Amino acid sequence: MTPNEQRDREPKGLVFNIQKFSLHDGPGIRTIVFLKGCPLACIWCSNPEGQSAAPELTLSADRCMGFEDCDRCLAVCLENAIGRDENGELHVDRDSCDGCGDCAFVCPSKSLEVSGDWVGVDEVIRIVEEDDAFYTRSGGGLTLSGGEPLAQGAFVRALLTAARSRGIDTAIETSGLCNWKTLRDVAPLADRIFFDLKCIDPQKHQRLTGVSNRKILENFRRLRTEFPENDVVVRTPVIPGVNDSEAEILAIAEFVEEAGGANAYELLPYHGLGEPKYAKLGKHYGSSHLEPPSETRMNALQRLATRCSPAHSASPVHERVDQ
Ligand code: SF4
Ligand code: SF4
C-alpha cells in the first residue's frame, strides 16, 4: 500500500471546533476538540451545531452586506436553498440545503459559513502538539468533546492512540449514550472520562433530551465494573426548574454510589450562552426563559452532592461555557 493509500484509509472525524488554552474539562491547559453528531437533543444545549452528524450551513444575517447586487450566494446555490423575503432579508431553506458550502465559499462577508470539517488524525494532532510546552508545564493535554465524541468511535480511538503515543494527557466528555463496545475500547485510552448524568427519572430524561437514559445508566455501571481503575468524573448540568432540586441531585449521587462510585462529582450551572447559535442554524431555542442558578444555590447543591459521596473528592462548582 502506498503512503497516499494508507492515508486515505485512515479514519477521518467531523470536527466543528478546536479550542485552545481551555482551563476546564481536565487538568492544566488543554486543547478541546469538538466532534459533530449527538444522539441527544437537550433543551438547554449550548452547542446545537454539535447535534447534527453532517456539515451544516450557518447564516449570520447581520453580517450580510445586503447589497442585492451581491447575491453571490443565490447565484451559486444549485439547490435554490437561499432566498430573500419581502423585506430583503436572506433566509435558507434547510430542507433543500445539502450543506455543500458553495455559498459560503463565495460569500465575502462570512455571513455564510459551514460548521463541520472532515479532518484526519494527523491534522488534529499537529494542531494539538503546537501547545506541547503548555501541557508539559501545566499538566494539561487533549480533551475530546462535542456533540458526542463516541458517536465517531473509530476516529476517537485513532486520535487518542496517537495522542497517547506522544505522551499527551487525554480526556473525553461523553453523554454516555453510545455503543458499549465503543466505550469499552476508548476507556483504556482516556486518562479521564467526564460522564454526564442529567437526571435519573427515565420519562423526564426522555422529555428533556429526546432519549431514554436506560443505556446511559447501563454504560455507567459497566464502565465502573469493568474499568474500576479509570478516572471518572460525573457531571450534571444544573438546569433551573428541571433538575435543580435536592431530590434530583441526591438521586444521581445515590445512583453513582450504588454503581461503583466516581472520582469526583461536579455540578455545572446552566448558562444561555449558546442561544445565538440557534438562530444561525435556523433552529428554535426553547430555554430562553431560564436564568442561570445563583452561586449560593450551586454551592448548596454541590455541598449536598459531596456529602452524599463522602468517599470521593469534592469538586468546586465548575463554570464552563460549552456544556
Ligand atoms: S450550502 Fe450548498 S445547498 Fe446549502 S445553501 Fe449553500 S450552496 Fe445551497
Ligand atoms: S454572498 Fe454573503 S454578503 Fe453576498 S448576499 Fe450572500 S450572504 Fe450576503
Side-chain angles (χ1 to χ4, degrees), residues 179-194:
N179 190 320
W180 164 249
K181 286 185 191 158
T182 303
L183 182 54
R184 179 198 66 192
D185 291 350
V186 165
L189 301 170
D191 293 306
R192 188 162 297 96
I193 298 174
F194 293 97

Side-chain angles (χ1 to χ4, degrees), residues 59-61 63-74 82 84 90 103-104 106-112:
L59 168 63
S60 306
R63 278 200 220 149
C64 172
M65 297 189 302
F67 307 142
E68 291 199 357
D69 55 352
C70 173
D71 278 359
R72 296 178 194 183
C73 48
L74 280 80
I82 304 185
R84 288 190 181 278
L90 272 189
C103 55
V106 298
C107 175
S109 65
K110 293 200 181 300
S111 285
L112 292 161

Side-chain angles (χ1 to χ4, degrees), residues 15-37:
V15 170
F16 69 90
N17 190 16
I18 297 183
Q19 184 183 316
K20 292 185 155 216
F21 297 103
S22 172
L23 294 175
H24 305 305
D25 306 315
I29 294 170
R30 309 195 70 82
T31 297
I32 318 287
V33 176
F34 293 89
L35 289 103
K36 249 172 107 53

Side-chain angles (χ1 to χ4, degrees), residues 34-113:
F34 293 89
L35 289 103
K36 249 172 107 53
C38 182
L40 284 73
C42 304
I43 58 168
W44 58 85
C45 177
S46 62
N47 283 335
E49 74 276 47
Q51 291 179 2
S52 161
E56 275 173 302
L57 188 65
T58 65
L59 168 63
S60 306
D62 55 334
R63 278 200 220 149
C64 172
M65 297 189 302
F67 307 142
E68 291 199 357
D69 55 352
C70 173
D71 278 359
R72 296 178 194 183
C73 48
L74 280 80
V76 297
C77 181
L78 296 177
E79 307 297 332
N80 290 325
I82 304 185
R84 288 190 181 278
D85 64 19
E86 59 279 10
N87 301 317
E89 292 285 322
L90 272 189
H91 61 83
V92 177
D93 175 357
R94 301 278 164 183
D95 292 333
S96 305
C97 174
D98 63 8
C100 68
D102 288 354
C103 55
F105 185 72
V106 298
C107 175
S109 65
K110 293 200 181 300
S111 285
L112 292 161
E113 294 180 294

Side-chain angles (χ1 to χ4, degrees), residues 197-270:
L197 292 175
K198 296 169 176 73
C199 74
I200 296 297
D201 180 335
Q203 278 86 32
K204 190 169 190 179
H205 196 280
Q206 175 86 43
R207 214 170 48 246
L208 299 170
T209 69
V211 295
S212 158
N213 60 0
R214 188 189 57 77
K215 182 81 178 160
I216 295 171
L217 301 182
E218 185 186 308
N219 278 342
F220 185 80
R221 274 185 206 285
R222 289 188 79 169
L223 181 66
R224 299 317 287 148
T225 307
E226 297 186 29
F227 297 93
E229 71 290 351
N230 255 103
D231 186 340
V232 175
V233 176
V234 171
R235 282 178 160 177
T236 300
V238 175
I239 316 299
V242 171
N243 64 354
D244 61 339
S245 69
E246 283 83 358
E248 291 279 355
I249 300 302
L250 270 177
I252 296 171
E254 282 167 12
F255 166 78
V256 170
E257 280 303 288
E258 181 257 319
N263 298 77
Y265 181 17
E266 296 182 348
L267 302 184
L268 312 178
Y270 162 81

